[in-house]
């Protein structure tokens, strides 16, 4: 019963994102659900840039710890802010430190997001995380349309821009990946629990790929 309710609520959150579309922008919510690819390796060579404009690759954040990867955009009026805020709050509750035990990447799907936007967002969400050395483990990134689309397609994160509203239609949730860049687990919805993150990060650290993906929480 609880699982059915969680799935229903996740569906409602996806419908809420689709309802942001303009009347002329026809959206099938099912077309913007995650298409999970557990075990697939992320495209680690894809170029991105950081809050200071520095050129990086996705792979620079892998190799030592498991990685939380959230695809979002900073002008989002529905799901992204809730996902980021709730994820940071859940991570804050863990006896784990960003930069030592895991990395967290928030990658913008919106080419309008520039380094100054990333810097403001990183400062905003770091304020919700009270562990030492957080700036070494929490990163807001962006990249070219082509690079970000390649990352999103590998994850199975469909999105589309509505020019009338200036908003993107996209699913709610994120992934956990192992040190080698392989997708370990999907967490659906905008409200991840500390328990889900603790279990998921431990599995990702062991290099486990799960056929059972994460539950939906909103």
């Amino acid at each position: 019963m609880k699982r059915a309710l969680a799935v229903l609520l996740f569906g409602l959150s996806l419908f809420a994102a689709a309802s942001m579309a303009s009347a002329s922008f026809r959206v099938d919510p099912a077309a913007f659900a995650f298409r999970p690819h557990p075990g697939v390796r992320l495209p680690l060579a894809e170029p991105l840039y950081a809050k200071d404009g520095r050129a990086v690759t996705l792979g620079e954040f892998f190799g030592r710890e498991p990685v939380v990867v959230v695809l979002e955009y900073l002008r989002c009026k529905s799901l992204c802010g809730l996902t980021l805020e709730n994820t940071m709050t859940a991570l804050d509750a863990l006896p784990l430190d960003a930069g030592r035990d895991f990395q967290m990447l928030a990658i913008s799907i919106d080419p309008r997001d520039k380094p100054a936007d990333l810097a403001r967002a990183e400062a905003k969400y770091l304020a919700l995380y009270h562990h030492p050395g957080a700036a070494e483990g929490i990163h807001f990134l962006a990249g070219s349309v082509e690079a970000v689309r390649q990352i999103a397609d590998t994850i199975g994160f469909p999105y589309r821009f509505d020019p009338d509203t200036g908003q993107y239609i996209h699913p709610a949730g994120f992934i956990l990946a192992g040190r080698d860049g392989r997708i370990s687990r999907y967490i659906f919805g905008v409200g991840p629990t500390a328990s889900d993150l603790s279990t998921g990060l431990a599995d990702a650290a062991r290099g486990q790929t799960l056929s059972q993906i994460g539950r939906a929480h909103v």
Side-chain angles (χ1 to χ4, degrees):
M1 184 66 178
K2 289 182 179 179
R3 179 173 177 81
L5 178 59
V7 172
L8 173 61
L9 291 173
F10 169 61
L12 290 174
S13 71
L14 182 60
F15 178 79
S19 69
M20 293 292 293
S22 63
S24 62
F25 188 86
R26 302 183 66 179
V27 173
D28 175 8
F32 292 92
F34 273 104
R35 300 160 189 168
H37 303 147
V40 169
R41 191 188 301 272
L42 295 170
L44 301 182
E46 289 299 327
L48 299 168
Y49 55 83
K51 65 180 181 180
D52 57 0
R54 178 173 57 94
V56 298
T57 65
L58 181 61
E60 289 183 31
F61 303 95
F62 287 81
R64 300 183 304 276
E65 306 92 15
V67 182
V68 180
V69 181
V70 183
L71 293 174
E72 46 72 36
Y73 70 105
L74 302 178
R75 292 170 173 81
C76 184
K77 297 180 180 178
S78 55
L79 303 177
C80 300
L82 283 173
T83 301
L84 287 168
E85 181 175 337
N86 292 333
T87 300
M88 294 301 298
T89 300
L91 290 171
D92 191 44
L94 298 180
L96 303 173
D97 293 330
R100 185 190 67 181
D101 301 305
F102 66 90
Q103 296 285 322
M104 188 272 200
L105 309 180
I107 303 174
S108 175
I109 61 174
D110 189 347
R112 297 173 297 178
D113 288 338
K114 304 304 181 185
D117 302 307
L118 302 177
R120 284 191 294 270
E122 189 170 307
K124 173 184 175 180
Y125 290 105
L126 276 174
L128 302 174
Y129 189 77
H130 306 97
H131 293 235
E136 299 301 314
I138 295 173
H139 313 276
F140 279 69
L141 306 168
S144 69
V145 171
E146 295 77 15
V148 174
R149 179 67 73 176
Q150 182 62 41
I151 295 168
D153 287 349
T154 302
I155 290 172
F157 181 94
Y159 63 94
R160 187 176 173 190
F161 183 67
D162 178 357
D164 291 338
T165 65
Q167 297 288 291
Y168 283 85
I169 310 303
H170 62 85
F174 56 91
I175 66 162
L176 305 177
R179 299 181 182 93
D180 62 354
R182 293 189 184 276
I183 299 171
S184 175
R185 181 191 292 256
Y186 288 74
I187 304 292
F188 293 150
V190 300
T193 68
S195 175
D196 281 347
L197 284 167
S198 178
T199 301
L201 285 169
D203 289 337
R206 290 191 292 267
Q208 292 186 336
T209 297
L210 305 181
S211 58
Q212 179 71 33
I213 55 182
R215 295 172 294 165
H217 296 282
V218 297

